């Protein structure tokens, strides 16, 4: 486990908040789940948990020295420059790189997020001089937005565009540059500080709700752990080194076995029936629930999804997609679970 300049609190040391931890792990196993929105009270460890994920992220193959983390095999995940090299049968130098986690600050400018084109260089030298932004760095990685419900509307629009197409396009003075921008969008926020725009909320594959830990003995444990970590971060981290390593291996194995994990046709029908009864708009809820259930089965080293797997993930995948009164809060999951039991009661 790498020791960083600013040591990160170990993921395996975090007490409670199982729903949030599960949602984050499943998104690392299958990035196509579409990210996770974490809503909860202030001081419940939302950003600590997300940043703790950094230690667990596996390595991926990238084209060396490419600012977009281009995949050497998948055309959808490589920049136009790398695609051009492949067409010319040029040899690509491949390197291993840890899945990146990029923070998107609330005060970031659009240029910082999307990247900028150097017009002067483009005009004088005739080259597309592009300075990549945060979306370029986040390609094939995680883009984390803390207090996402406070994000400026113009940045929300940028995220919506990239999340919808998987590409970021920068245009200026008749010059246009595009690059892949497929990332796991992770957001956290406090519901008291305002709701998220419905279009952005729908883009999150999963929605985790967390509350303040109530049990006194767990609260004491959390306080003690935090004090130990603040006093000697590296010593504290070393106590969890083996647990971190085991969890990382489990995630890597799950990513590899995911393609062999199956979900019965009858169960897929039931998932769609549940979505239909709950009046979930669109088909994203069906797709995400199927993906999350398969990722959970793979994580637990099984090749077949069980109804219990679906039960554990379905409220995470659907609660924020239910049609609701604008003044009503997001369903805690009870309504989703109630309808689930109606269709899976025989299992």
């Amino acid at each position: 486990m790498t020791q960083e300049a600013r040591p990160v609190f170990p993921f395996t040391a975090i007490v409670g908040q199982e729903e949030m931890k599960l949602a984050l792990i499943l998104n690392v196993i299958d990035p196509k789940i579409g990210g996770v929105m974490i809503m909860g009270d202030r001081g419940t460890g939302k950003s600590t948990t997300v940043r703790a994920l950094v230690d667990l992220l596996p390595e991926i193959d990238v084209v060396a020295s490419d600012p977009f983390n281009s995949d050497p095999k998948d055309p959808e995940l490589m920049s136009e420059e790398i695609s051009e090299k492949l067409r010319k049968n040029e040899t690509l130098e491949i390197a291993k790189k840890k899945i990146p986690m990029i923070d998107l600050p609330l005060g970031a400018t659009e240029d910082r997020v999307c990247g900028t084109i150097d017009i002067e260089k483009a005009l004088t030298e005739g080259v597309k001089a592009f300075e990549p932004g945060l979306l370029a760095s986040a390609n094939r990685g995680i883009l984390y937005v803390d207090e996402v419900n406070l994000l400026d509307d113009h940045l929300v629009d940028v995220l919506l565009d990239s999340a919808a197409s998987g590409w970021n396009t920068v245009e200026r003075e008749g010059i246009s540059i595009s690059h892949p921008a497929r990332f796991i969008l992770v957001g956290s926020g406090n519901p008291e500080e305002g709701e998220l725009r419905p279009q952005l909320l729908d883009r999150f594959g999963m929605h985790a709700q967390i509350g303040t830990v109530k049990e006194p003995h767990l609260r004491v444990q959390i306080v003690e752990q935090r004090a130990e970590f603040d006093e000697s971060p590296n010593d504290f981290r070393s106590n969890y080194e083996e647990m971190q390593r085991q969890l990382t291996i489990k995630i890597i194995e799950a990513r590899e076995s995911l393609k062999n994990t199956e979900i019965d046709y009858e169960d897929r029908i039931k998932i769609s029936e549940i979505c239909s009864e709950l009046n979930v708009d669109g088909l994203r809820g069906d797709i995400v629930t199927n993906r999350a259930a398969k990722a959970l089965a793979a994580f637990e080293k099984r090749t077949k999804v069980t109804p219990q797997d679906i039960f554990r993930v379905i409220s995470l995948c659907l609660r924020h997609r239910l049609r609701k009164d604008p003044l009503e809060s997001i369903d805690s999951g009870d309504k989703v679970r109630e309808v689930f039991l109606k269709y899976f009661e025989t299992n």
Side-chain angles (χ1 to χ4, degrees), residues 252-323:
I252 291 168
E253 288 175 349
R255 280 169 65 96
E256 289 169 356
S257 65
L258 187 62
K259 59 182 175 292
N260 301 319
T261 309
E262 296 176 352
I263 180 166
D264 280 344
Y265 179 73
E266 291 77 15
D267 288 345
R268 281 182 276 153
I269 288 287
K270 288 178 182 178
I271 288 169
S272 291
E273 286 175 333
I274 292 167
C275 291
S276 182
E277 181 163 333
L278 288 167
N279 287 324
V280 173
D281 288 331
L283 294 172
R284 200 170 280 137
D286 307 50
I287 294 166
V288 170
T289 305
N290 277 273
R291 284 193 171 279
K294 287 170 73 173
L296 178 56
F299 181 60
E300 297 188 342
K301 300 185 177 179
R302 287 180 278 106
T303 56
K304 194 166 183 182
V305 170
T306 66
Q308 183 62 24
D309 294 329
I310 300 167
F311 181 73
R312 286 172 63 187
V313 302
I314 196 163
S315 60
L316 280 164
C317 300
L318 298 184
R319 62 157 62 107
H320 58 304
R321 304 181 195 279
L322 306 187
R323 283 185 183 159

Side-chain angles (χ1 to χ4, degrees), residues 59-297:
E59 290 186 331
I60 51 174
D61 286 334
V62 298
V63 177
S65 306
D66 180 75
F68 310 109
N69 306 318
S70 290
D71 188 322
K73 294 175 184 169
D74 187 348
E76 280 294 305
L77 295 171
M78 62 175 66
S79 64
E80 292 172 350
E81 188 182 340
I82 301 301
S83 297
E84 187 61 34
K85 284 184 177 179
L86 276 183
R87 279 194 291 272
K88 293 177 180 175
N89 291 322
E90 291 183 29
T91 306
L92 300 177
E93 189 183 337
I94 298 172
K96 290 273 188 189
K97 180 179 180 179
K98 202 169 191 181
I99 290 176
M101 180 183 281
I102 306 298
D103 273 279
L104 195 159
L106 289 179
T109 62
E110 197 167 327
D111 281 354
R112 178 74 188 98
V113 176
C114 298
T116 55
I117 298 171
D118 188 335
I119 294 297
E120 188 179 342
K121 194 170 184 180
L123 294 175
T124 56
E125 299 178 27
V127 293
K128 287 185 176 180
F130 181 62
E131 185 65 40
L134 296 176
L135 293 181
S137 304
N139 186 40
R140 302 179 69 207
I142 296 172
L143 186 66
Y144 176 46
V145 192
D146 195 8
E147 307 294 353
V148 66
N149 41 346
L150 301 179
L151 198 63
D152 285 345
D153 277 352
H154 71 282
L155 291 183
V156 170
D157 292 337
V158 165
L159 289 184
L160 284 171
D161 285 346
S162 295
S165 66
W167 285 78
N168 173 46
T169 302
V170 181
E171 294 184 344
R172 193 175 163 206
E173 309 293 344
I175 297 172
S176 176
I177 291 178
S178 296
H179 67 78
R182 291 182 186 269
F183 45 80
I184 302 168
L185 185 59
V186 177
S188 60
N190 180 350
E192 292 176 3
E193 292 167 351
E195 286 296 327
L196 216 56
R197 270 171 55 180
Q199 306 97 307
L200 185 57
L201 186 60
D202 185 57
R203 281 290 163 192
F204 287 98
M206 305 176 94
H207 187 290
Q209 287 182 335
I210 60 171
T212 305
V213 175
K214 301 294 184 191
E215 297 85 349
H217 69 282
L218 288 180
R219 292 172 75 114
V220 169
Q221 186 182 340
I222 293 166
V223 171
E224 286 176 349
Q225 280 187 336
R226 189 72 224 187
E228 283 178 44
F229 177 75
D230 289 342
E231 190 175 321
S232 182
N234 290 337
D235 288 344
F236 184 83
R237 280 167 58 87
S238 66
N239 295 333
Y240 289 89
E241 198 163 339
E242 182 56 26
M243 288 172 70
Q244 294 277 98
R245 194 179 69 81
Q246 292 294 341
L247 183 52
T248 304
I249 290 170
K250 203 174 170 186
I251 289 171
I252 291 168
E253 288 175 349
R255 280 169 65 96
E256 289 169 356
S257 65
L258 187 62
K259 59 182 175 292
N260 301 319
T261 309
E262 296 176 352
I263 180 166
D264 280 344
Y265 179 73
E266 291 77 15
D267 288 345
R268 281 182 276 153
I269 288 287
K270 288 178 182 178
I271 288 169
S272 291
E273 286 175 333
I274 292 167
C275 291
S276 182
E277 181 163 333
L278 288 167
N279 287 324
V280 173
D281 288 331
L283 294 172
R284 200 170 280 137
D286 307 50
I287 294 166
V288 170
T289 305
N290 277 273
R291 284 193 171 279
K294 287 170 73 173
L296 178 56

